[in-house]
């Protein structure tokens, strides 16, 4: 907890020049009215949520290092930040237009959540976007990435206000939670992505379109996720509760759809495996419009057994021509009725 909790009239905290203090404790400025913070020389560690909800401007001293600045020092309680500056003598960080980068400006460390600009173009030197770099960005709606960017770290844009983004062809993996909880995100353009991580686009309620870009060509279907042909894996909860999407077409070489990947996509009425035979995790399509529209009995998606509605008989025959069976197609209460299962010769994938 903050040592100055509820001290809302406290607008300045001074450090004595002879202070031996080496760390800013967690939540140090939380609950205060401090808006401008200058980290003094000698501070080598900054704790979790150190900058309170009212802090707008932070200047880092020369002694704050990459190892001492926690990834969570700024977000959470630090959602009011508008700019971050760095002492010229700091060998670890630099600041460009109030945005925090590492010393050689190859990694964007933090874009202040309440920086006033609605659009931002990454400096040409940036090759990596750090963990939670744009998290909670309340004003940012458009970020322009260039082809030098090779990595976007976990939760980089989580809970930000971006509306659309074009991923450069150099991005082949979308890490966990990268765009999770972006309430205004409606359109994603991506190149030859091979993996979409867990929760990568979960709770993006307006995300209606994912389009594949190859060279100068854009492959787009209205209100649909049109994945790149290179995609091999869709992570757990990757598109959980994306309530606006209506259609999904899987790439033919897809290998894995993990648990709950599209669950709670309540308007998702059309799903095509498109000839792919991936391993499909538990409840991958739970509470989608497609699954809710099915009748009692075995539920097949293309040639894949996904679920079973109602109480099965003691003997279950999986239909001839079935190529795959998802994880846990029968609930625990259903499974107790089953004594025999007949599997077809056509079967290639189970769970």
């Amino acid at each position: 907890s903050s040592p100055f909790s509820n001290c809302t009239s406290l607008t300045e905290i001074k450090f004595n020049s002879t202070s031996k203090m080496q760390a800013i404790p967690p939540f140090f400025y939380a609950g205060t009215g401090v808006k401008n913070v200058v980290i003094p020389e000698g501070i080598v560690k900054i704790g979790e949520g150190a900058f309170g909800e009212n802090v707008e401007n932070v200047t880092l001293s020369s002694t704050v290092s990459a190892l001492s600045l926690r990834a969570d020092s700024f977000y959470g309680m630090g959602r009011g930040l508008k700019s971050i500056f760095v002492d010229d003598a700091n060998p670890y960080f630099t600041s460009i237009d109030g945005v925090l980068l590492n010393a050689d400006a190859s990694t964007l460390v933090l874009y202040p959540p309440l920086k006033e600009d609605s659009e931002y173009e990454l400096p040409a030197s940036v090759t990596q976007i750090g963990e939670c770099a744009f998290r909670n960005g309340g004003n940012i709606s458009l970020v322009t990435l260039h082809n030098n960017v090779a990595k976007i770290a976990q939760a980089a844009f989580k809970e930000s206000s971006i509306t659309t983004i074009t991923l450069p062809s150099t991005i082949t993996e979308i890490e966990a939670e990268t765009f999770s909880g972006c309430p205004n995100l409606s359109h994603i353009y991506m190149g030859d992505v091979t993996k979409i991580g867990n929760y990568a686009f979960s709770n993006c309620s307006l995300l209606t379109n994912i389009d594949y870009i190859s060279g100068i060509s854009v492959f787009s279907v209205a209100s649909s996720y049109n994945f790149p042909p290179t995609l091999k894996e869709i992570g757990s909860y990757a598109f959980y509760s994306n309530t606006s999407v209506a259609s999904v077409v899987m790439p033919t070489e897809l290998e894995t759809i993990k648990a709950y990947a599209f669950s709670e996509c309540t308007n998702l009425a059309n799903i095509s495996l498109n000839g792919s035979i991936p391993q499909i995790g538990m409840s991958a399509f739970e509470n989608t419009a497609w699954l809710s529209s099915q009748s009692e009995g075995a539920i097949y998606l293309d040639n894949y057994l996904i679920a079973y509605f109602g109480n099965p008989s003691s003997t279950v025959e999986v239909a001839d021509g079935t190529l795959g069976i998802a994880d846990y197609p029968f609930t625990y209460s259903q499974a107790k009725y089953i004594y025999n299962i007949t599997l077809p010769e056509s079967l290639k994938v189970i769970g």
Side-chain angles (χ1 to χ4, degrees):
S1 62
S2 170
F4 305 109
S5 180
N6 298 317
C7 295
T8 54
S9 297
L10 179 63
T11 58
E12 185 180 12
I13 300 175
K14 292 183 177 180
F15 295 84
N16 191 292
S17 60
T18 60
S19 172
K20 302 297 184 182
M21 188 173 177
Q22 293 185 314
I24 301 294
F27 309 107
F28 184 73
Y29 291 96
T32 73
V34 175
K35 294 186 179 298
N36 301 297
V37 171
V38 177
I39 302 300
E41 295 296 322
I43 296 294
V44 296
K45 183 178 181 181
I46 298 176
E48 174 189 358
F51 302 104
E53 60 272 25
N54 293 318
V55 172
E56 296 181 357
N57 306 293
V58 172
T59 299
L60 302 180
S61 67
S62 65
T63 53
V64 176
S65 72
L67 293 177
S68 64
L69 186 66
R70 293 173 55 105
D72 56 8
S73 296
F74 291 101
Y75 58 80
M77 295 302 292
R79 296 186 183 189
L81 279 173
K82 294 181 178 180
S83 62
I84 304 169
F85 302 102
V86 179
D87 189 291
D88 290 340
N90 188 301
Y92 307 103
F93 295 106
T94 189
S95 175
I96 300 176
D97 296 328
V99 177
L100 185 65
L101 299 99
N102 67 342
D104 65 1
S106 62
T107 299
L108 191 150
V109 178
L110 183 77
Y111 184 93
L114 279 189
K115 187 173 170 60
E116 294 178 355
D117 303 314
S118 62
E119 298 184 6
Y120 179 71
E121 181 174 351
L122 260 67
S125 59
V126 172
T127 60
Q128 178 172 321
I129 298 175
E131 181 179 345
C132 299
F134 289 89
R135 185 172 180 179
N136 298 133
N139 293 325
I140 191 71
S141 61
L142 179 64
V143 176
T144 301
L145 312 180
H146 48 70
N147 284 330
N148 291 337
V149 178
K151 180 180 174 64
I152 301 175
Q154 178 174 316
F157 291 90
K158 184 175 181 179
E159 296 164 351
S160 69
S161 296
I162 60 167
T163 58
T164 183
I165 195 163
T166 300
L167 301 179
S169 59
T170 47
I171 298 297
T172 58
E173 180 175 336
I174 300 173
E175 297 199 12
E177 299 184 89
T178 300
F179 298 96
S180 177
C182 293
N184 301 323
L185 182 61
S186 63
H187 213 133
I188 291 277
Y189 299 90
M190 64 176 65
D192 293 330
V193 170
T194 60
K195 179 181 178 180
I196 296 175
N198 298 342
Y199 295 92
F201 296 96
S202 64
N203 293 296
C204 293
S205 58
L206 296 183
L207 184 58
T208 57
N209 274 78
I210 294 178
D211 293 339
Y212 169 56
I213 299 177
S214 179
I216 61 172
S217 300
V218 179
F219 300 88
S220 177
V221 178
S223 300
S224 178
Y225 293 173
N226 189 33
F227 295 114
T230 52
L231 186 64
K232 303 295 184 183
E233 180 179 318
I234 297 175
S236 299
Y237 295 91
F239 297 95
Y240 177 83
S241 195
N242 289 3
T243 52
S244 293
V245 63
S247 175
V248 170
V249 179
M250 307 299 177
T252 56
E253 300 300 319
L254 186 66
E255 297 174 356
T256 305
I257 301 173
K258 291 191 174 181
Y260 299 97
F262 295 92
S263 66
E264 304 301 329
C265 293
T266 51
N267 285 311
L268 180 54
N270 299 297
I271 305 170
S272 173
L273 293 180
N274 196 27
S276 64
I277 316 172
Q279 289 187 314
I280 298 180
M282 179 175 65
S283 301
F285 303 103
E286 184 177 58
N287 289 336
T288 59
W290 170 79
L291 189 58
S292 299
S293 69
Q294 305 300 312
S295 302
E296 282 200 357
I299 310 301
Y300 291 89
L301 175 59
D302 298 348
N303 293 318
Y304 215 112
L305 177 61
I306 298 296
Y308 196 100
F309 284 176
N311 292 325
S313 61
S314 60
T315 298
V316 171
E317 292 188 11
V318 178
D320 288 338
T322 298
L323 299 177
I325 300 176
D327 277 351
Y328 300 99
F330 302 98
T331 65
Y332 177 79
S333 60
Q334 291 172 329
K336 65 183 181 181
Y337 292 99
I338 302 172
Y339 291 89
N340 297 291
I341 295 180
T342 302
L343 303 178
E345 293 183 1
S346 57
L347 195 62
K348 295 183 178 182
V349 177
I350 299 179

